[in-house]
Amino acid sequence: MQAMQQKLEDFRDYRRLHKPPKVQEKCQLEINFNTLQTKLRLSNRPAFMPSEGKMVSDINNAWGGLEQAEKGYEEWLLNEIRRLERLDHLAEKFRQKASIHESWTDGKESMLQKRDYETASLSEIKALLKKHEAFESDLAAHQDRVEQIAAIAQELNELDYYDSPSVNARCQKICDQWDNLGVLTQKRREALEKTEKLLETIDQLYLEYAKRAAPFNNWMEGAMEDLQDTFIVHTIEEIQGLSMAHEQFKATLPEADKERQAILGIHNEVMKIAQTYHVNMSGTNPYSTISTQEINSKWDRVRQLVPKRDQALMEEHARQQQNERLRKQFAAQANVIGPWIQTKMQEIGRIAIEMHGTLEDQINHLRQYEKNIVNYKPKIDQLESDHQQIQEALIFDNKHTNYTMEHIRVGWEQLLTTIARTINEVENQILTRDAKGISQEQMNEFRNSFNHFDREHSGTLGPEEFKACLISLGYDIGNDPQGEAEFARIMGIVDPNRLGVVTFQAFIDFMSRETADTDTADQVMASFKVLAGDKNYITADELRRELPPDQAEYCIARMAPYIGHDAVPGALDYMSFSTALYGESDL
């Protein structure tokens, strides 16, 4: 038990001390990855592709596996602690019953093996037979105890108790001894019955005493066992049930005391007859080994144990009331914090997809949310403190709430991750907007189109949703092989990692690039005029100096000679070239 409790404490330390920094590292990793991808795109560099097994999705999958493993491990720890508690309780019960039984059987075999009847007188033979009958009654009264001992041993074996070999050995010894007692009892009866008939002078009062004292003694032993029996409860209802059973037991004590007085009255009557008629009783009851001193001693012990049991039940009732208070205290906070986290997650999601104000307004709004969330942390810490008290009290369930601390932790971590990721996404959108020169109206138009086809409000578009969005924006993407190939090319741009979804950031990058690619003829001519130094023509050397080699050769091969009055040898007409090629994406 101590080792398992240490494992549970180590697991709590892991949850409380070692895991939270890793959550922050994981969040920062996603932020770094998204920022890196954005900067690479803005620098016209290829997207960064992590090595196999180190994708963000791989890390998220592994993280999910870790959380599942944590859940399974915690359930295993708690179940094992419950099992060990049950085993310790059963083992102690086994030892108590076995000790009482062994104490009772001590000397019985040697007594049954005596051959005193061989030299006994007739009256002594009859006395021995009566004593033997009383012993058989006593033996039968202990049959249930032996069966209980065997049943407990069997249950300990089924529950894989660590000390089962010693339990089995002790149980086997008791069972073997019990069987031997049965055999010896039968043999002695047969031997006594073979002797002459017993005289009718045996004192019936002794027999009556023995018959009544044996079950009463057995009842007292059972009562002492029950009063000293340890109990394990987890709810107010369970301790109330034990208290009710205890009150019912106390209600039987007056009747039990009457039975005790009756048994003592039988003994006193025997003593009175012996004194009156000078009968030699040898100082002991020949039919029973239970003395009046033993009955009184055990009765006094029962009376002493009753108030102790009362006190133990009261203390346990107080402990369960405290546990119930802890449950309600935790539930009251968890039932507020859980919905609060869910609400904030939904609100952040709406901010990310709705268009209220500029991106800077969204950033400010999100940062205010982030501040409010951080300021909420003391309530999470208080809940953790209450949860720690619940764990220390070994409270395993709470009917007052459906939220567990694990649910709250996961929701809180997701909330922090979501707000950080959302802020990062909006910051990247601002970077893209500023770098590409996108107006706020264009951003709103992009967001309108994206949201319209994001039917599930997931913040991403599936392939079919993205295709429908492109078609609505005027892209000619049919269901023929050429259209499918064009769509596959576009998906390779917006979903380079082949995740099967298109984020809003990727959508903005694509649309801004497409918008930038559709320069007007005037813009193209203005660009060439800058390269030509404000001349009406441009030379091949200037093109090769200012443009990449493939683009320069493309322009030189297609530009017509310039024929103006200010022409020089080799002059090229970039104006007619720009007009002719207006709208071609290769430029």
Side-chain angles (χ1 to χ4, degrees):
M1 176 62 71
Q2 184 177 1
M4 292 305 301
Q5 289 177 341
Q6 183 58 47
K7 284 180 177 290
L8 185 60
E9 188 61 31
D10 293 342
F11 183 68
R12 292 174 185 151
D13 289 341
Y14 156 76
R15 282 271 185 80
R16 187 172 59 252
L17 302 175
H18 302 297
K19 186 178 178 182
K22 295 301 179 182
V23 174
Q24 296 298 324
E25 291 178 15
K26 175 174 171 293
C27 176
Q28 189 60 46
L29 182 64
E30 291 186 29
I31 292 173
N32 292 345
F33 180 83
N34 292 333
T35 303
L36 174 61
Q37 298 293 59
T38 299
K39 291 184 176 180
L40 288 174
R41 285 193 298 270
L42 296 178
S43 302
N44 292 323
R45 295 175 63 186
F48 171 66
M49 291 295 293
S51 60
E52 184 177 354
K54 297 181 180 179
M55 301 284 293
V56 171
S57 59
D58 295 330
I59 295 172
N60 287 334
N61 290 336
W63 188 263
L66 173 62
E67 291 180 336
Q68 288 296 321
E70 289 174 354
K71 180 180 178 183
Y73 185 68
E74 184 177 31
E75 291 176 352
W76 173 79
L77 283 176
L78 296 178
N79 289 335
E80 187 64 12
I81 288 175
R82 294 191 189 100
R83 188 181 73 85
L84 291 176
E85 286 180 340
R86 172 67 175 160
L87 285 176
D88 288 345
H89 171 67
L90 286 175
E92 181 60 25
K93 193 171 185 179
F94 173 86
R95 286 190 287 270
Q96 286 184 3
K97 288 184 176 292
S99 297
I100 293 173
H101 178 78
E102 289 166 349
S103 175
W104 178 83
T105 57
D106 184 37
K108 295 295 187 295
E109 290 176 302
S110 60
M111 182 270 291
L112 291 172
Q113 291 172 337
K114 285 182 179 179
R115 305 182 68 84
D116 51 348
Y117 55 84
E118 293 180 347
T119 58
S121 64
L122 186 60
S123 60
E124 290 172 341
I125 289 297
K126 289 187 176 183
L128 290 175
L129 183 58
K130 293 296 182 181
K131 182 179 180 180
H132 189 73
E133 289 175 355
F135 172 76
E136 286 181 325
S137 175
D138 200 9
L139 187 69
H142 282 76
Q143 177 68 35
D144 287 342
R145 189 186 309 282
V146 175
E147 292 175 356
Q148 291 174 6
I149 291 172
I152 293 173
Q154 177 64 26
E155 188 172 359
L156 287 171
N157 277 278
E158 291 173 354
L159 294 176
D160 197 22
Y161 181 54
Y162 76 93
D163 199 22
S164 291
S166 65
V167 170
N168 292 337
R170 192 172 185 182
C171 180
Q172 187 62 46
K173 181 179 178 181
I174 290 173
C175 291
D176 292 343
Q177 186 183 37
W178 184 256
D179 293 338
N180 191 39
L181 284 175
V183 173
L184 292 175
T185 301
Q186 183 63 26
K187 287 182 179 180
R188 184 169 177 83
R189 167 169 282 280
E190 292 173 355
L192 291 172
E193 289 177 345
K194 290 178 182 179
T195 62
E196 295 182 26
K197 293 182 179 179
L198 300 176
L199 297 176
E200 296 295 333
T201 57
I202 298 299
D203 189 350
Q204 292 299 322
L205 289 174
Y206 264 145
L207 183 57
E208 179 68 16
Y209 174 93
K211 288 183 177 180
R212 296 179 71 170
F216 184 73
N217 181 67
N218 192 51
W219 174 86
M220 287 193 297
E221 290 179 347
M224 287 189 291
E225 283 185 39
D226 293 339
L227 291 171
Q228 297 178 89
D229 189 18
T230 56
F231 48 82
I232 301 174
V233 296
H234 298 98
T235 64
I236 289 287
E237 292 75 15
E238 290 176 354
I239 192 61
Q240 288 175 342
L242 289 177
S243 298
M244 184 179 298
H246 183 62
E247 291 300 320
Q248 292 172 352
F249 166 77
K250 289 195 295 183
T252 65
L253 290 179
E255 287 297 324
D257 192 35
K258 291 181 181 180
E259 177 66 11
R260 181 182 69 90
Q261 295 291 347
I263 293 171
L264 294 179
I266 294 173
H267 176 76
N268 294 335
E269 183 67 19
V270 170
M271 293 297 101
K272 181 179 179 180
I273 293 174
Q275 293 173 3
T276 301
Y277 297 100
H278 306 288
V279 178
N280 183 13
M281 304 304 298
S282 303
T284 60
N285 187 332
Y287 312 128
S288 174
T289 59
I290 303 171
S291 66
T292 56
Q293 292 81 5
E294 184 178 356
I295 289 176
N296 286 327
S297 175
K298 290 183 178 179
W299 177 255
D300 291 339
R301 179 60 177 160
V302 169
R303 297 299 299 269
Q304 292 170 2
L305 290 174
V306 167
K308 292 183 178 179
R309 184 72 167 186
D310 287 333
Q311 181 64 28
L313 289 172
M314 288 176 59
E315 292 176 354
E316 182 61 26
H317 191 272
R319 190 176 76 87
Q320 289 303 325
Q321 286 181 324
Q322 172 64 10
N323 288 352
E324 187 68 7
R325 186 190 66 78
L326 290 176
R327 288 188 182 97
K328 291 181 178 179
Q329 179 176 310
F330 176 86
Q333 297 182 75
N335 289 336
V336 172
I337 293 175
W340 183 87
I341 291 176
Q342 294 172 353
T343 300
K344 291 303 176 185
M345 290 284 286
Q346 295 170 357
E347 291 175 353
I348 292 171
R350 285 197 297 270
I351 294 174
I353 64 175
E354 292 176 354
M355 299 170 297
H356 296 301
T358 64
L359 292 177
E360 284 76 7
D361 293 336
Q362 291 186 25
I363 280 288
N364 293 334
H365 201 178
L366 288 169
R367 292 199 186 281
Q368 184 60 42
Y369 262 76
E370 185 179 38
K371 182 179 178 181
N372 293 339
I373 290 170
V374 171
N375 291 338
Y376 204 76
K377 183 65 164 59
K379 295 186 178 180
I380 302 295
D381 295 337
Q382 180 61 44
L383 192 64
E384 285 281 6
S385 176
D386 293 344
H387 178 67
Q388 180 66 22
Q389 294 182 49
I390 285 178
Q391 294 294 305
E392 291 171 355
L394 294 179
I395 299 173
F396 302 116
D397 53 14
N398 192 340
K399 65 182 180 181
H400 303 295
T401 181
N402 292 325
Y403 293 100
T404 65
M405 196 63 231
E406 181 61 24
H407 292 150
I408 298 297
R409 289 194 193 104
V410 170
W412 178 254
E413 292 166 1
Q414 289 177 344
L415 181 61
L416 294 177
T417 302
T418 299
I419 188 67
R421 183 173 60 246
T422 304
I423 290 174
N424 176 252
E425 289 175 353
V426 177
E427 288 175 341
N428 288 339
Q429 293 173 22
I430 292 174
L431 288 175
T432 302
R433 182 199 65 188
D434 295 342
K436 300 292 187 177
I438 303 173
S439 66
Q440 185 62 43
E441 290 75 13
Q442 288 176 307
M443 288 296 293
N444 291 343
E445 182 182 352
F446 293 157
R447 173 54 80 180
N448 270 330
S449 299
F450 190 89
N451 288 348
H452 177 75
F453 290 94
D454 182 12
R455 307 293 186 188
E456 298 179 357
H457 304 290
S458 62
T460 60
L461 296 179
E464 293 302 320
E465 293 173 332
F466 182 56
K467 178 186 286 188
C469 182
L470 291 178
I471 293 173
S472 72
L473 293 172
Y475 285 82
D476 185 12
I477 300 177
N479 293 324
D480 54 5
Q482 182 178 356
E484 293 295 335
E486 174 62 14
F487 182 67
R489 180 189 71 80
I490 296 175
M491 281 298 295
I493 296 173
V494 297
D495 183 22
N497 296 327
R498 300 182 182 278
L499 300 178
V501 294
V502 180
T503 64
F504 183 61
Q505 182 62 43
F507 180 75
I508 293 175
D509 291 342
F510 175 75
M511 294 306 299
S512 62
R513 182 164 55 250
E514 291 294 302
T515 303
D517 287 343
T518 56
D519 291 335
T520 64
D522 291 338
Q523 291 173 325
V524 173
M525 283 188 285
S527 298
F528 275 119
K529 191 166 186 177
V530 171
L531 296 180
D534 287 332
K535 300 190 298 291
N536 293 326
Y537 60 87
I538 193 168
T539 65
D541 291 338
E542 288 173 332
L543 288 171
R544 291 189 178 98
R545 182 173 63 250
E546 300 294 340
L547 297 178
D550 55 343
Q551 292 186 11
E553 296 304 322
Y554 177 90
C555 294
I556 293 170
R558 286 163 176 75
M559 283 187 182
Y562 179 69
I563 57 176
H565 63 86
D566 53 347
V568 298
L572 299 175
D573 186 355
Y574 62 78
M575 295 183 182
S576 62
F577 174 79
S578 299
T579 302
L581 293 183
Y582 167 65
E584 288 190 19
S585 61
D586 287 344
L587 289 177

